[in-house]
Amino acid sequence: MNKSTITFFERKFPSANMILIKDQLPILVDSGFGSDVKDTEQLITNAGVLPKELHLIVNTHYHSDHVGGNFHLQKNYSLPIAAHKWEANLINVGDAEACSAEWLDQPVEPYSVDKMLSDNDEIDTGSGVLQVFHTPGHTLGHISLYEPAKELLICGDLFHKNDIGWLNIFREGVNAIQRSIESLEKLAKLRIQTAYPGHGPQIENPLDTIDMARKRLEKWIGNPEKVSWHACKRIFSFTLIINNGLAREEIDNYLLKCGWFQDFARYAFQTPPKDFVQILLDEMIRSGAASWHNNCLIATTPYQAPEQQWLKNNIKPRDWKTQNLLI
């Protein structure tokens, strides 16, 4: 008899959602953004599992909003972490490209991956298993987890209730669209009652949602500009969130230093980066992704602003070795 229970934590940005599998071997899927780690601990504790009682942390992929709590939880409770082997290798050598943190300008404190996962692996929860599905697209090492007894899917940022994960054609390749479509088709073969995404509410009609996500991606194949706009708005919104907005006078200099902005401006939109600043700002306002408040551009999605002192540390994988920060 499967006695495990699943607790879904729908979180505000900048943290991604978390899933706690309460079983003989408690497992936490994803750990939120680094500045929210105290909330992460409190959520787990309130759900009846002390952080030190966790058996394993599993990351759906290595973006900062999904792995930010790893540092604190691994350092203070010696918790093992599992991730897809491709991303694990980058993490464990402290590669500057790990987490796409440098390109995205998103801080991630150091951690190491203890258990490398591959497609069709199984993770023991005590009375049940989580099946690992390699579902690349949003990142090359993205995984989804399936609990067959309960017909539950943890889908990370492959798809959300009303959205899909943005695609990084400059780091994950221009075939990221095809990879996402194939990942969705793989999951569509499963019997799924409920899906738990990385952002937004749980999904009670997952197969319909998968079908809508697939159709949206298929439309993008013939209109790659939509892929780029979707990515630019998601990335810049996240920037505004973790900085609690950007003053009008600092936006140009900030954007022109960002790898993602340079790449999308030059290669996706064939526009000089200086000229693309106002184009992006206009689109952020037009689409409702951001708005001006007292000369400051603010993201419109609900969020919890990080403490500025935490943000000032601005630790990225390139710092993990030089500052001897690897655990």
Side-chain angles (χ1 to χ4, degrees):
M1 181 178 177
N2 190 334
K3 297 179 180 178
S4 69
T5 61
I6 290 185
T7 303
F8 174 64
F9 303 101
E10 183 182 346
R11 306 188 71 178
K12 287 183 180 178
F13 284 98
S15 281
N17 296 335
M18 301 190 308
I19 298 91
L20 177 65
I21 294 95
K22 295 171 64 178
D23 202 340
Q24 297 161 18
L25 303 173
I27 290 171
L28 180 68
V29 180
D30 290 336
S31 60
F33 193 65
S35 62
D36 288 341
V37 69
K38 292 299 181 186
D39 289 343
T40 297
E41 280 194 308
Q42 197 61 55
L43 286 169
I44 301 166
T45 302
N46 290 346
V49 177
L50 296 174
K52 67 180 181 182
E53 295 173 332
L54 288 171
H55 175 69
L56 182 69
I57 296 172
V58 182
N59 293 141
T60 56
H61 60 291
Y62 63 7
H63 282 163
S64 64
D65 52 333
H66 293 256
V67 303
N70 288 0
F71 169 74
H72 177 86
L73 295 171
Q74 193 171 55
K75 179 180 178 183
N76 289 281
Y77 306 108
S78 301
L79 298 179
I81 293 172
H84 188 269
K85 59 184 179 182
W86 293 348
E87 296 187 353
N89 285 329
L90 293 174
I91 292 295
N92 286 347
V93 300
D95 192 293
E97 291 288 335
C99 309
S100 290
E102 196 73 28
W103 191 76
L104 292 168
D105 189 29
Q106 295 175 6
V108 183
E109 294 170 294
Y111 66 97
S112 58
V113 178
D114 308 275
K115 183 178 178 63
M116 300 198 184
L117 300 174
S118 299
D119 197 31
N120 296 319
D121 279 353
E122 291 189 343
I123 299 170
D124 185 11
T125 66
S127 67
V129 295
L130 290 173
Q131 297 176 350
V132 176
F133 285 85
H134 184 208
T135 49
H138 181 59
T139 70
L140 281 176
H142 189 287
I143 60 169
S144 300
L145 303 168
Y146 180 61
E147 213 283 15
K150 291 184 168 62
E151 299 181 351
L152 300 177
L153 177 72
I154 299 168
C155 56
D157 283 353
L158 177 61
F159 67 93
H160 308 135
K161 185 171 184 178
N162 297 306
D163 199 2
I164 50 182
W166 64 273
L167 299 178
N168 188 345
I169 58 175
F170 297 102
R171 287 296 182 274
E172 315 300 343
V174 292
N175 286 326
I177 301 176
Q178 292 291 355
R179 290 196 179 99
S180 284
I181 291 172
E182 290 182 4
S183 294
L184 290 168
E185 290 172 344
K186 180 192 289 188
L187 297 182
K189 297 175 183 175
L190 302 172
R191 292 173 59 89
I192 311 171
Q193 297 295 325
T194 305
Y196 299 111
H199 299 282
Q202 68 183 55
I203 302 167
E204 301 297 347
N205 55 344
L207 294 179
D208 289 343
T209 305
I210 289 173
D211 192 47
M212 286 189 291
R214 182 178 53 79
K215 289 177 179 175
R216 186 174 182 184
L217 287 166
E218 287 173 345
K219 288 181 180 177
W220 281 2
I221 291 175
N223 193 348
E225 191 170 287
K226 286 187 177 294
V227 181
S228 297
W229 272 124
H230 185 259
C232 282
K233 287 187 282 188
R234 299 301 183 277
I235 297 169
F236 193 35
S237 290
F238 197 82
T239 295
L240 297 176
I241 287 167
I242 64 176
N243 288 282
N244 198 19
L246 289 176
R248 188 185 297 269
E249 58 271 19
E250 64 180 333
I251 289 176
D252 287 51
N253 287 338
Y254 175 81
L255 286 175
L256 290 171
K257 290 185 214 172
C258 289
W260 68 267
F261 182 82
Q262 290 279 341
D263 282 343
F264 277 110
R266 292 178 186 277
Y267 306 114
F269 295 102
Q270 302 289 310
T271 302
K274 282 188 178 180
D275 296 342
F276 190 61
V277 172
Q278 191 59 51
I279 295 172
L280 175 60
L281 294 183
D282 289 345
E283 178 59 19
M284 294 294 289
I285 299 298
R286 185 208 64 78
S287 65
S291 59
W292 292 105
H293 295 270
N294 299 323
N295 209 39
C296 189
L297 190 66
I298 303 288
T300 54
T301 192
Y303 67 90
Q304 177 171 296
E307 291 182 7
Q308 285 304 298
Q309 189 55 48
W310 183 90
L311 198 60
K312 283 181 181 176
N313 291 332
N314 196 22
I315 296 172
K316 296 189 175 75
R318 61 177 156 79
D319 307 312
W320 293 1
K321 284 182 179 177
T322 57
Q323 296 186 23
N324 198 25
L325 290 171
L326 279 171
I327 297 170

